[in-house]
Amino acid sequence: METFLIKALQLILSLSILVIVHEFGHFIFARLYKIRVEKFYLFFNPWFTLFKFKPKNSETEYGIGWLPLGGYVKIAGMIDESMDKEQMAKPAQPWEFRSKPAGQRLMVMIAGVLFNFILALLIYSMITFTWGDSYLPFKNAKAGLNYSEVAHQAGFKDGDIPLEADEKPLETLTGETVRAMAEAKIIKVERDGKIVEINMPENFMLQLIDKNEKFASFRLPIVVKEASPGQGAALAGIQSGDSLTNINGTPIPDFITLTKVLDSVKGKNANVTFYRSGKEMTLPVQVDKNGKLGIALTPITDIYPLVTIHYGFWESFPKGIEKGISTLKGYVSDMKYVFTKEGASNLGGFGAIGSIFPPVWDWEAFWSMTAFLSIILAFMNILPIPALDGGHVLFLLYEVITRRQPNEKFMEYAQMAGMAFLFALLIFANGNDIFRFFFK
C-alpha cells in the first residue's frame, strides 16, 4: 500500500507540474496578444469545483477541478473543450481569440507544447548539473547481462556482453541502445571470452512488446553486503564481502539464479560455496521456509565502476538539450509500434504511467520521469487531432494557406469528434491497465 501511495503521489505531482506549465504557455501568449482568458484550471471541473478564486480586477478565474485528467484555460472566443456555443453565437469582440490574426492565434496554440518541451530541456539540464551523467559501461560489467525469453529465442545467452549493433559500438544499457539492437541486423557480443555474432529477427521489437518483456538487465553478482544477525547465513559464518558462487554444486552467477536455487531448497540445509579474500570456502547454511539465506546484497554500482561525467552550470545546457532531442527522437521512432496489434494491446493509462515511477522517493528519478512525460505530452498534444492543440494548429494552418477560416459548425463537430476519440482512447488504455492487473 505504501508503494502504491508513493507512486501515486509522484504521478499526481508530476502531471500537475506538466499541466500547469502547458496551460501557462497558452495563458501567457494569450495575454501577450491581449486575449481575455476567462479560466485557468488544474484538472477538469464538470458539475463542481474543489477550489477557485478570482483576484480583484482580474478577468481570469483560477481553480482546481476534481477530475485529474489534465487541465485547461478557457480562452474567450475560441471553440474548445468548454463548447461555449452561447459565447460563440454573439458578435466577435476585439479581446477574443477569434478576432486576432491567424499568426497570433497559431502562437497561442503552439505555446503549450513549446513550454512543455522547454521544460523538459531545462529539467534534463538541471539533472545533468546536479547529479552529472553516470552510467555502467558494458565493458565494466564482467558478468554480462541477463536476457528476456524473446532475446534468448533470438540467440542471446545470459552472460553475453553486447559490443556492436551493425558495427556501431554499444556503450551501456539505455532505451536508445535497446532500440539500436532491436533494429540492427547483426549484433556482436562477447561470450566466454569469444566474439559471437547474432542475426536479429526483423520483428524483434514487436515480439518484446507482445510479451511485455524487458530486453535485458545487468547481472547482479552475489556479493554479501551484510548478513542479518540470527539468520542462516550469519549463524553459518557468512560475512560481508563474501562472494557466493554455488549452492549444492549449482552455479549461482546472478541474483535471478540464486532465487531459483534457494526456492528449491527452502527449509533445508544447503552447502554454500563462496570466495573470501581470494580463498574458496564452503559452509552449510540453513535456508528459511521462504527460501532466504538472510543476506543483503551489494548493489551492482558498488561492484562495478561507474563512469560519471560532471558538468558545470553552463555546460549542462547543451547536454540537457541533447538528451531532450534524443528522447523525442526515440519516442517518435517508437510510435510506429502503437499501430500494431502488439502495440495496441500494450497501451497503458494512468496505471502504466504510475508504474514507471520508483517505489521509493528519489528526486533524480522523479525529475527524469517528469522530463520524459513532458516530452510525451508535448508530442501527443501536437498531433493533428481535433480537441488537441495539434488539431487547432491544423485548422489555423489551413486558414493561413487558404486565407479563410473553417466553418464554425464544422469546427464544433470536429471538436466533439476529437473529444469522443480521446475519451475512447483513454477508456481503452486504462481498460488495458485493469485487464493486466487482474488477468496477467
Side-chain angles (χ1 to χ4, degrees):
M1 186 63 180
E2 182 182 355
T3 296
F4 171 80
L5 291 175
I6 291 174
K7 289 191 173 191
L9 182 59
Q10 290 180 91
L11 175 64
I12 293 170
L13 178 58
S14 179
L15 292 182
S16 297
I17 292 170
L18 300 183
V19 168
I20 290 172
V21 169
H22 181 91
E23 300 304 334
F24 182 72
H26 294 310
F27 173 85
I28 199 67
F29 269 77
R31 299 305 299 132
L32 179 67
Y33 296 130
K34 303 188 185 314
I35 301 171
R36 183 174 295 178
V37 179
E38 298 174 351
K39 293 183 179 182
F40 189 135
Y41 267 70
L42 172 63
F43 306 149
F44 293 109
N45 60 325
W47 304 298
F48 68 93
T49 299
L50 295 179
F51 169 78
K52 65 180 178 181
F53 77 100
K54 191 173 184 179
K56 188 177 180 180
N57 301 322
S58 174
E59 300 168 340
T60 307
E61 175 184 293
Y62 301 88
I64 301 176
W66 62 271
L67 188 61
L69 298 179
Y72 70 97
V73 288
K74 186 177 184 301
I75 298 174
M78 175 182 169
I79 299 174
D80 59 10
E81 57 268 20
S82 68
M83 298 302 293
D84 191 348
K85 298 180 182 180
E86 183 179 343
Q87 183 185 71
M88 298 302 295
K90 296 177 182 178
Q93 301 298 318
W95 35 262
E96 288 186 334
F97 179 81
R98 55 181 165 168
S99 300
K100 300 300 178 179
Q104 293 184 6
R105 284 179 281 138
L106 185 62
M107 286 306 302
V108 171
M109 296 318 305
I110 290 174
V113 168
L114 180 64
F115 271 47
N116 275 133
F117 188 62
I118 291 174
L119 174 66
L121 300 184
L122 288 174
I123 292 176
Y124 280 132
S125 298
M126 291 302 95
I127 289 173
T128 301
F129 173 67
T130 305
W131 290 285
D133 189 9
S134 296
Y135 62 94
L136 175 59
F138 286 135
K139 63 182 180 181
N140 290 359
K142 302 302 182 183
L145 280 68
N146 280 324
Y147 295 89
S148 66
E149 184 57 36
V150 171
H152 286 156
Q153 293 172 4
F156 290 91
K157 291 187 177 181
D158 292 336
D160 285 353
I161 301 174
L163 300 175
E164 295 179 358
D166 286 343
E167 300 186 352
K168 294 180 181 179
L170 299 171
E171 182 70 15
T172 188
L173 191 60
T174 64
E176 189 175 350
T177 301
V178 172
R179 194 175 299 111
M181 295 175 72
E183 296 175 355
K185 293 182 179 180
I186 297 177
I187 303 296
K188 286 184 180 180
V189 299
E190 181 182 330
R191 180 181 299 166
D192 299 327
K194 299 178 181 179
I195 305 300
V196 176
E197 289 189 353
I198 298 172
N199 294 309
M200 296 294 289
E202 292 183 2
N203 60 347
F204 181 77
M205 185 63 84
L206 287 178
Q207 291 181 45
L208 280 179
I209 294 172
D210 184 43
K211 298 295 185 181
N212 197 23
E213 291 183 347
K214 187 177 180 181
F215 169 62
S217 59
F218 284 106
R219 275 183 144 184
L220 177 62
I222 313 304
V223 180
V224 178
K225 182 177 183 180
E226 181 183 5
S228 301
Q231 296 192 36
L235 293 175
I238 300 292
Q239 300 177 8
S240 174
D242 289 349
S243 181
L244 279 57
T245 57
N246 72 69
I247 294 177
N248 288 343
T250 301
I252 47 170
D254 57 75
F255 177 71
I256 294 176
T257 308
L258 172 69
T259 57
K260 291 179 180 178
V261 173
L262 288 178
D263 188 62
S264 67
V265 293
K266 55 188 176 184
K268 302 177 182 178
N269 274 329
N271 292 319
V272 177
T273 302
F274 58 92
Y275 279 90
R276 178 184 297 168
S277 302
K279 182 180 179 182
E280 187 178 59
M281 303 174 65
T282 300
L283 290 173
V285 179
Q286 176 65 38
V287 182
D288 71 17
K289 62 180 181 180
N290 297 314
K292 305 293 182 183
L293 292 174
I295 58 174
L297 300 184
T298 303
I300 195 169
T301 51
D302 292 341
I303 298 174
Y304 299 129
L306 296 179
V307 172
T308 301
I309 304 173
H310 294 285
Y311 297 87
F313 181 76
W314 297 113
E315 292 175 318
S316 66
F317 286 97
K319 189 65 180 178
I321 292 171
E322 177 187 326
K323 176 67 174 175
I325 293 174
S326 174
T327 301
L328 177 61
K329 286 181 177 179
Y331 185 74
V332 173
S333 174
D334 290 343
M335 278 298 292
K336 61 178 175 286
Y337 299 115
V338 174
F339 303 102
T340 65
K341 181 185 71 173
E342 296 84 357
S345 65
N346 279 278
L347 276 177
F350 293 109
I353 298 172
S355 68
I356 62 180
F357 284 93
V360 294
W361 199 282
D362 181 305
W363 281 112
E364 183 180 3
F366 170 79
W367 287 116
S368 292
M369 286 311 311
T370 299
F372 177 62
L373 292 176
S374 196
I375 292 283
I376 294 176
L377 182 61
F379 176 75
M380 296 301 293
N381 256 290
I382 205 62
L383 292 176
I385 300 172
L388 293 179
D389 294 344
H392 292 285
V393 169
L394 180 65
F395 294 135
L396 284 166
L397 289 175
Y398 168 83
E399 183 181 339
V400 169
I401 294 170
T402 65
R403 299 187 180 278
R404 59 177 180 173
Q405 293 188 10
N407 180 273
E408 284 192 4
K409 277 293 180 186
F410 170 77
M411 295 277 285
E412 288 179 10
Y413 291 138
Q415 185 76 11
M416 288 188 289
M419 290 175 66
F421 170 75
L422 293 176
F423 274 117
L425 185 61
L426 187 68
I427 292 170
F428 177 77
N430 285 281
N432 274 348
D433 285 347
I434 295 170
F435 178 81
R436 282 191 290 266
F437 181 79
F438 286 105
F439 300 107
K440 287 190 176 182

